[in-house]
Amino acid sequence: NAGVTQTPKFRVLKTGQSMTLLCAQDMNHEYMYWYRQDPGMGLRLIHYSVGEGTTAKGEVPDGYNVSRLKKQNFLLGLESAAPSQTSVYFCASRSGLAGTSTDTQYFGPGTRLTVL
Amino acid sequence: GQQLNQSPQSMFIQEGEDVSMNCTSSSIFNTWLWYKQEPGEGPVLLIALYKAGELTSNGRLTAQFGITRKDSFLNISASIPSDVGIYFCAGRSQGAQKLVFGQGTRLTINP
C-alpha cells in the first residue's frame, strides 16, 4: 500500500513548455485534489475531483487543466508554463464524507516545478 | 469565504518544553485535521477529530475539537529535535468537498 504517489519529483521547464503531473492513489479514494504551495502562501487548491470522470475548479485554477479518467489517477496539466507557476505541487486524496469518521485526507510527497 | 486563523505563526523553544498551538474559524467545522510538514516532504496527517469536545492523543501529541466547533488546539509535550517542522490545521464543514487550511506554525527547537 503506497498511499499517494506523485511523478515526477522534480522538473524544470522553459516558459511556454507543457507538462503533465501524475498523481496515483491505491486506497480506492473517491476524492482527489491538487494543491500548490508557495513560500508564505500555505496550501492553495487548484482543482479537485469528487469521483472518476468529474473535476471542479479550486481557488487558483487558471493556467491548469486536470483529468480523472481512472479512479486511482488524477492528472494535472500545464499547457503553456509560466514562471508564476514555479511552485511545489501536492496531490491529496480522501475517502469519506465530510463530518464522518472516515473524513481523512492524505498527501503525496510533492513535485517541485521550476519554470525558467 | 471560510478562513482559519492559526497561531502562533512561529515558535522557538528549548528541547523538552511543551508546545501549544491553535486554530480558530469564522464558521463551524465538522472535521478538524492536524498535519506536520518537514522540509521537502508532503504534509503528514497527525490527528483527526470528528466530534465537538473530542480529545485525541497520538504519542506526545494531543489535539482537541473545540466545543463551539470553531476552534481546535494541538499540544506537543516534552519536545524533541525531530518535532521540528511546520504544523497545519485544517477543517471541513458538513457537506463540503474542500478543506480549509491554516497558514501553519513553524516550530524550531534549540537542543
Side-chain angles (χ1 to χ4, degrees), chain A residues 12-16 81-83 86 114-116:
Chain A
V12 178
L13 290 178
K14 294 181 180 178
T15 297
T86 294
T114 301
V115 183
L116 303 175

Side-chain angles (χ1 to χ4, degrees), chain A residues 18-50:
Chain A
S18 63
M19 77 161 295
T20 300
L21 282 66
L22 171 63
C23 175
Q25 52 93 5
D26 61 2
M27 297 174 282
N28 200 35
H29 284 175
E30 288 293 335
Y31 306 86
M32 296 187 75
Y33 303 83
W34 275 107
Y35 297 87
R36 60 179 288 175
Q37 187 176 38
D38 303 296
M41 297 293 290
L43 288 157
R44 292 187 292 170
L45 183 64
I46 305 171
H47 286 281
Y48 65 101
S49 168
V50 301

Side-chain angles (χ1 to χ4, degrees), chain B residues 3 13 16 18 33 41 54-55 58 64 82 86 98 100-101 107:
Chain B
Q3 292 186 349
I13 63 169
D18 296 343
L33 305 174
E41 305 289 333
E54 180 180 359
L55 187 71
N58 178 3
Q64 184 159 26
S82 62
I86 302 176
K98 298 171 279 187
V100 180
F101 285 89
L107 179 62

Side-chain angles (χ1 to χ4, degrees), chain A residues 31-88:
Chain A
Y31 306 86
M32 296 187 75
Y33 303 83
W34 275 107
Y35 297 87
R36 60 179 288 175
Q37 187 176 38
D38 303 296
M41 297 293 290
L43 288 157
R44 292 187 292 170
L45 183 64
I46 305 171
H47 286 281
Y48 65 101
S49 168
V50 301
E52 182 178 321
T54 73
T55 62
K57 293 180 179 179
E59 299 173 65
V60 289
D62 294 343
Y64 305 96
N65 56 76
V66 288
S67 64
R68 184 100 180 268
L69 298 180
K70 294 183 179 180
K71 186 177 184 179
Q72 64 267 33
N73 295 336
F74 195 28
L75 278 65
L76 178 71
L78 286 72
E79 290 184 346
S80 179
S84 60
Q85 293 178 304
T86 294
S87 188
V88 182

Side-chain angles (χ1 to χ4, degrees), chain A residues 31 33 35 37 40-43 45 48 50 57 90 94 98-109 112, chain B residues 30-31 33 35 37 39-45 48 50 86 88 92-99 101-103:
Chain A
Y31 306 86
Y33 303 83
Y35 297 87
Q37 187 176 38
M41 297 293 290
L43 288 157
L45 183 64
Y48 65 101
V50 301
K57 293 180 179 179
F90 290 103
R94 73 177 177 101
T100 72
S101 61
T102 59
D103 185 17
T104 52
Q105 185 162 313
Y106 299 95
F107 285 83
R112 187 173 296 275
Chain B
N30 289 70
T31 299
L33 305 174
Y35 292 89
Q37 186 176 24
E41 305 289 333
V44 174
L45 183 66
Y50 305 108
I86 302 176
F88 290 98
R92 196 181 338 260
S93 53
Q94 184 72 38
Q97 307 298 347
K98 298 171 279 187
L99 277 176
F101 285 89
Q103 291 299 308

